[in-house]
Amino acid sequence: MIDDLYSARILALAANMPHAGRLAAPHGTGERVAKLCGSRAVVDVTLDGAGQIETFAQEVKACALGQAAAGVLGQAVIGADVAEIRAARDAMIDMLKSGGDGPSGRFEGLRALKQVADYPARHASTLVAVEATLEAVEQAMARRAPDTRTSLAGAA
């Protein structure tokens, strides 16, 4: 059973970690840790004027499953926006917990992790990079949003 989980495809994805490292001046940073196993992902992003990921870096210390997800993410993330990343995260959760098909579009490669659904203890480690990326992009978007409190106070 465990051999099915750590297939040659998963191991190949885990061995290829695009955009490894950290950015010097990120617009947003996200970090996630899987409490059960200690898998950890720290993601830095910068966004372009349209809110799409322009630069991306990830530091992932995780099992092969978490590294495989980070590998897929790193291959596809440049140009993605917050809605695409949120949809991929939601589709991953649905795939792992409810038998869904998994992400589509640019993040369809995450479907290679579908067999993780049978191992609930591995779900969190499989999601750390995706969730850290979503957090980083949301933080970057929040930093660039105008402060509505100031504009509302001036209108009073």
Side-chain angles (χ1 to χ4, degrees), residues 27-28 47-48 50-52 82 136-146:
H27 296 161
L47 304 180
D48 65 15
Q52 297 171 319
V82 69
V137 173
E138 287 174 339
Q139 183 184 95
M141 295 293 291
R143 286 182 174 164
R144 61 194 287 180

Side-chain angles (χ1 to χ4, degrees), residues 118-134:
D118 295 334
Y119 302 89
R122 303 283 195 254
H123 292 182
S125 62
T126 304
L127 289 165
V128 291
V130 176
E131 290 183 333
T133 301
L134 180 58

Side-chain angles (χ1 to χ4, degrees), residues 57-120:
Q58 59 184 345
E59 188 173 83
V60 180
K61 306 253 190 270
C63 66
L65 301 171
Q67 289 182 15
V72 171
L73 191 67
Q75 292 171 8
V77 76
I78 301 297
D81 62 25
V82 69
E84 288 177 285
I85 296 163
R86 187 175 296 117
R89 190 269 324 260
D90 293 348
M92 281 278 299
I93 291 170
D94 185 53
M95 178 180 78
L96 294 174
K97 299 189 182 295
S98 303
D101 291 334
S104 58
R106 75 170 66 229
F107 297 112
E108 188 170 328
L110 291 167
R111 291 180 179 191
L113 295 154
K114 189 171 180 85
Q115 69 271 23
V116 178
D118 295 334
Y119 302 89

